[in-house]
Amino acid sequence: MPTTGNPVLNLSVFAVFVLITLYVVYRFSSRNTTASDYYAAGSSFTGAQNGVALSGDFLSAASFLGISGGIAAHGYDGFLYSVGWVVAWLVGLLLIAEGLRNTGRFTVGDVLAFRMRQRPVRAAAANATLVISFFYMIAQMAGAGGLIALLLNVSSKWGQALLIALVGMVMVLYVLLGGMKGTTWVQIIKAVLLLLCVTMMSIFLLGKFGFSLSAIMQQATENNKLGEAVLDPGAKYGFSAMSKLDFVSLALSLVLGIASLPHVLMRFYTVPNASEARRSVVWATWTMVIFYLCTLVIGFGAMALVGTDKIAAAPGGENSAAPLLAFEIGGAVLLGIVSAVAFATILAVVAGLTLAASASFAHDVYANVIKRGNAEPRREIRVARLTAVVVGILSIIGGIAANGQNVAFLVSLALALAASANLSTILYTIFWRRFNTTGTLWSIYGGLGSCLVLIIFSPVMSGARTSIFPDVDFAWFPLGNPGLVSIPFSFLCGFLATIFSKREPEMDAKAAEMEVRAISGIGART
Amino acid sequence: MTKAMRSPGEAHHEYRETRGFASFDDPEALSYVDSDGNPNFALIQQTDEFRVLRRRLTTFIFPMTALFLASYLTFVLLSAYAKDFVSTKVIGVINLGILLGLGQFVTSIIITLGYARYAKRRLDPQRKLLAEMTGVEE
C-alpha cells in the first residue's frame, strides 16, 4: 500500500480545522456559567440550528466512514444501514422528541424519573447512559484511529493505538472547554461541511458516469470478487438461516436504537420549546435523506474506482473507503479535506457523547442521588468535567481494543443497547399511566443487562476470526446483533414488572403533571 | 373543534369534591392555576380540551408508527428471505431491493412532512386553546 497523499499536507489541513473549531468552542465557552448553559446550551438554539446539529450528531464517523465503507465492501447489505438510519428518525419525530422536550431538563434520567421514585430510577438511567455512550464512543475512537492511520500511513498496531489515544485526548479537551454550546456549534459547522463534501463528491461521481447510478454500480461489480451478486442481498449476511436472522436483528436495532441514544435525546433539550424540537427533527430528516443518498453513491463509487480488495487492504480497512475514493478522484488535497471533515465529525460526535455521559453522571448520580438534589451547581459542573475525562480515557482503551472493526457495525451494538434500555422505558413512561418505578427499573436493567450479556457471548467478542478476542471462544449466542432478542425482552420486562407490582398512588399527581406536560406543553420549562 | 366546551367554573364543581383540589380561602376563585402560579395538572388532565388533544395526538402517531415500521420491516424481511425477488433488475443493474430501500426514504419524507402539517393544523391550535382556557402560560 503506497502512502495515500502527503502526510504533511494532510496534517496541516487537519491542524487548521482543529484550531478553527477550538477557537469557536473557546469563544462560546465564556458564557458557560450555569448548569443549563453547560448541559443544554441554555436552550437557546433555534429549531433549524438544532436540526443541523442533530443531524450532525448522527452524521458521525459511523455514518460517513462506516456506511460508505459497508456499501463499498458488501454492496446491498451495507445499504441496509443507510435505510435504517433514515427511517429511525420517524421514531424520534413521532414518539419521542416533543414529549421528552416538555418533561425533561438535561438528561434522560429527568424524564424517566419524572413520576417515579427519584434515586433508583436516576441511577438506572445514568448507568444505561454511561454504558451506551461508552459503546458508541468505542466506535468513534476506532474510526478516528483508522482514519489517522490511513492519513499518516501508520500500519503498526502500536502506532495506531498511540494515535487513538492522542485523538481521544483532543476530543475530551473540546468538551471540557466548550460544554453544550461549543459542542453544538462544532456540530453545526461540521454537519454543513460534511454535507457539502458528500454532495460534491456524489455529484462529481454521478457526472463521471453520465448521471447514471446504474453505470456506477455496473462498474462497481467489476471490482468486487462477488461480481453482480454484490448488488443483491446476502454479500455479508444471508448465507445461512442464522445470518438472515442477524440481518433482521441489525435492522431492528437500527430503526429503534438511533432515536434512543442519550446524546441524541439530550439534543432535544437545546431548543426553547416542543415545536422547535419538532422543527429540528424535520430539518434533520432532510439533511439525513440527502446524506444517506450520497453514501449510496459514494459507497458504490468507491467500489467502482478503488475496488473492494484495495479498500480491505488499506490501514483502517473498510472504514477507509471514502477517504480512498477522495484520493482517487481529487488527489491529496481532496483527501486532506475529506479526512479533516471526517475527523471533525468524529470530534464533534465524541464531544456530544462525552457531554451526554458526563451530564448524566453529574446531574443524575452526583446531584440527585448522592447529593439528593442539593448539589451546588458549580460543583456539579466540575463533577461533569471530571466524568468527561474518565469516560474519555475508558473509551480510548476500548477504541484501541476495537481498532479495525467496521465502525458502523460497532455503532449498531450501541444502538441495540440504547433501544433495549431507553426506548421501552421512555414510551411506557410517556404513554402508559399504570407504569411504575418497579417497571421502570426492570425495563432499563432488563434491556441493558440482556443486551450486554448477549453481546459478550456473541461472535463479536470471541470465537471467530473477526472477533475482538479471536483466540478464545466463549460465544454461545449466534447473532452478532442482540436487538432482536433484547429489545422485545425489555418491553416484556417493563410490562410484567409493572402489572405484578403495586400501583403508586402517591405518584398520581406527578403522573398527571407528566401527561399534561408531555402532550400539551403546559408547564414545561421555557 | 370540540362541541362540549365547558367553562372552567363547571369543571371545578365537577372535580372539586372527588379530587380535593380546592384552595383554602376561596373555592369559587379556584382555577387551573394554584396560588403559587403552578398549573393544576390533575384538573387540566380531566378537561375535554386536553382529552381531545391527547386523542388527536395518539390517533396520528401510533398508526403512523405502525405504518412506517411495517413498511421498513417489509423491506428488511424481503431482503433477507426473498432474495431472488428483490434481486430482480429494474433499471440497468439497479434492482428492486435498492428501489424499495429508496422508497423508504420517500415514505420517511412524506410522514415527516405529514406530521409537521398535522401538528401545525390540528395539534398546535388545540394546545393554544387549552393554554388560553386554563390561563397557563405555554
Side-chain angles (χ1 to χ4, degrees):
Chain A
M1 175 76 208
T3 312
T4 309
N6 174 354
V8 179
L9 177 65
N10 297 342
L11 265 192
S12 41
V13 178
F14 249 31
V16 168
F17 195 93
V18 171
L19 285 178
I20 292 174
T21 48
L22 263 179
Y23 173 73
V24 169
V25 163
Y26 177 74
R27 271 225 42 202
F28 289 101
S29 66
S30 51
R31 293 177 223 156
N32 263 328
T33 43
T34 66
S36 166
D37 283 339
Y38 184 73
Y39 296 139
S43 296
S44 57
F45 283 96
T46 67
Q49 285 172 334
N50 199 59
V52 177
L54 186 60
S55 49
D57 264 322
F58 248 84
L59 305 181
S60 65
S63 322
F64 182 45
L65 302 175
I67 295 181
S68 52
I71 295 174
H74 309 296
Y76 191 99
D77 286 3
F79 178 56
L80 172 77
Y81 283 97
S82 307
V83 177
W85 243 271
V86 169
V87 176
W89 282 98
L90 294 173
V91 177
L93 174 72
L94 295 177
L95 299 176
I96 294 176
E98 293 171 54
L100 193 83
R101 169 60 189 76
N102 283 336
T103 50
R105 282 191 74 199
F106 303 140
T107 63
V108 190
D110 285 336
V111 176
L112 298 186
F114 193 95
R115 62 187 178 100
M116 307 296 168
R117 278 184 284 124
Q118 292 289 312
R119 299 180 67 201
V121 174
R122 280 192 184 272
N127 284 335
T129 298
L130 289 174
V131 172
I132 297 160
S133 304
F134 173 66
F135 268 79
Y136 202 83
M137 295 260 282
I138 289 178
Q140 307 298 326
M141 293 286 179
L147 182 70
I148 309 234
L150 176 75
L151 281 178
L152 305 180
N153 206 30
V154 176
S155 47
S156 85
K157 279 280 169 210
W158 282 106
Q160 292 183 358
L162 190 69
L163 287 175
I164 292 177
L166 277 174
V167 169
M169 283 189 279
V170 173
M171 291 171 184
V172 174
L173 200 65
Y174 270 72
V175 182
L176 295 184
L177 287 176
M180 195 55 153
K181 201 169 251 169
T183 306
T184 305
W185 277 111
V186 174
Q187 287 290 18
I188 293 173
I189 295 170
K190 158 233 135 167
V192 171
L193 283 177
L194 185 60
L195 269 175
L196 280 176
C197 200
V198 292
T199 317
M200 295 299 189
M201 277 173 80
S202 303
I203 292 174
F204 177 84
L205 276 170
L206 283 170
K208 197 174 163 69
F209 288 89
F211 290 95
S212 158
L213 181 62
S214 176
I216 298 180
M217 288 164 66
Q218 178 70 52
Q219 185 169 340
T221 59
E222 289 157 19
N223 282 314
N224 186 293
K225 61 179 184 306
L226 287 173
E228 285 209 359
V230 78
L231 303 180
D232 304 338
K236 182 172 167 62
Y237 299 91
F239 288 122
S240 71
M242 212 40 97
S243 61
K244 281 177 185 168
L245 269 185
D246 205 9
F247 181 85
V248 176
S249 185
L250 170 73
L252 200 66
S253 296
L254 285 178
V255 76
L256 298 179
I258 287 168
S260 324
L261 283 166
H263 69 292
V264 174
L265 294 173
M266 215 176 148
R267 196 41 78 213
F268 296 128
Y269 296 135
T270 57
V271 287
N273 55 47
S275 63
E276 289 295 324
R278 180 169 70 225
R279 199 162 299 148
S280 64
V281 182
V282 174
W283 266 87
T285 308
W286 280 112
T287 51
M288 292 283 160
V289 165
I290 296 172
F291 181 83
Y292 289 106
L293 282 176
C294 292
T295 58
L296 185 67
V297 179
I298 291 176
F300 280 115
M303 197 195 282
L305 296 180
V306 185
T308 303
D309 292 341
K310 195 174 163 194
I311 293 170
E318 285 172 23
N319 306 323
S320 314
L324 285 174
L325 175 68
F327 184 66
E328 198 65 38
I329 61 180
V333 177
L334 190 58
L335 172 71
I337 294 172
V338 166
S339 306
V341 171
F343 182 76
T345 302
I346 301 175
L347 207 63
V349 169
V350 169
L353 275 164
T354 314
L355 197 72
S358 64
S360 141
F361 184 79
H363 181 65
D364 289 331
V365 178
Y366 175 76
N368 283 297
V369 177
I370 299 176
K371 291 282 174 179
R372 294 172 183 260
N374 297 319
E376 202 190 314
R378 274 192 35 226
R379 281 200 63 99
E380 187 182 325
I381 296 180
R382 227 172 80 195
V383 172
R385 295 200 158 121
L386 204 67
T387 321
V389 175
V390 175
V391 171
I393 293 172
L394 284 177
S395 57
I396 287 170
I397 297 170
I400 292 171
N403 189 13
Q405 302 266 346
N406 181 312
V407 291
F409 171 74
L410 288 173
V411 160
S412 72
L413 295 181
L415 295 178
L417 283 163
S420 307
N422 285 344
L423 184 70
S424 53
T425 325
I426 292 174
L427 292 185
Y428 279 148
T429 205
I430 295 183
F431 295 109
W432 187 25
R433 283 183 198 174
R434 171 77 168 83
F435 197 49
N436 62 13
T437 303
T438 315
T440 306
L441 294 176
W442 274 87
S443 69
I444 295 178
Y445 285 125
L448 191 71
S450 63
C451 197
L452 267 179
V453 167
L454 295 181
I455 289 175
I456 290 170
F457 294 104
S458 75
V460 180
M461 291 297 281
S462 71
R465 195 176 46 81
T466 51
S467 303
I468 293 178
F469 303 107
D471 304 329
V472 282
D473 185 0
F474 48 83
W476 49 259
F477 182 69
L479 303 181
N481 189 302
L484 192 62
V485 177
S486 65
I487 298 170
F489 184 72
S490 86
F491 274 95
L492 189 71
C493 277
F495 177 74
L496 291 180
T498 303
I499 57 169
F500 285 116
S501 60
K502 286 203 302 279
R503 284 175 188 275
E504 292 175 318
E506 70 276 15
M507 296 295 179
D508 278 353
K510 286 303 270 184
E513 176 177 351
M514 183 165 196
E515 190 181 50
V516 172
R517 271 174 65 163
I519 290 174
S520 72
I522 286 176
R525 171 184 56 99
T526 46
Chain B
M1 281 289 104
T2 46
K3 282 179 197 153
M5 279 257 257
R6 228 177 354 192
S7 80
E10 284 165 6
H12 301 155
H13 287 299
E14 210 172 318
Y15 292 105
R16 189 174 56 196
E17 287 78 17
T18 50
R19 289 245 153 196
F21 279 107
S23 66
F24 302 108
D25 38 309
D26 183 8
E28 291 311 311
L30 185 79
S31 77
Y32 291 109
V33 181
D34 69 14
S35 52
D36 299 329
N38 296 318
N40 188 337
F41 292 106
L43 210 56
I44 295 172
Q45 194 185 30
Q46 304 300 329
T47 61
D48 283 343
E49 285 74 11
F50 179 74
R51 288 183 180 160
V52 167
L53 176 63
R54 188 191 150 89
R55 196 171 56 242
R56 283 189 189 169
L57 182 74
T58 50
T59 50
F60 188 89
I61 59 175
F62 290 127
M64 275 300 168
T65 303
L67 188 77
F68 82 76
L69 280 181
S71 118
Y72 175 72
L73 287 177
T74 310
F75 163 71
V76 169
L77 292 174
L78 282 177
S79 300
Y81 295 100
K83 193 177 163 210
D84 293 338
F85 175 66
V86 294
S87 302
T88 317
K89 296 212 175 357
V90 182
I91 309 164
V93 294
I94 300 175
N95 59 34
L96 191 63
I98 300 266
L99 291 181
L100 282 175
L102 294 176
Q104 303 294 317
F105 283 53
V106 178
T107 44
S108 297
I109 294 174
I110 292 172
I111 293 180
T112 301
L113 295 182
Y115 176 65
R117 192 182 150 98
Y118 182 82
K120 211 175 200 166
R121 295 191 169 187
R122 304 282 289 164
L123 302 179
D124 289 349
Q126 185 69 13
R127 284 185 181 129
K128 201 155 167 262
L129 183 73
L130 190 66
E132 279 165 7
M133 182 195 80
T134 55
V136 179
E137 289 296 318
E138 212 177 341

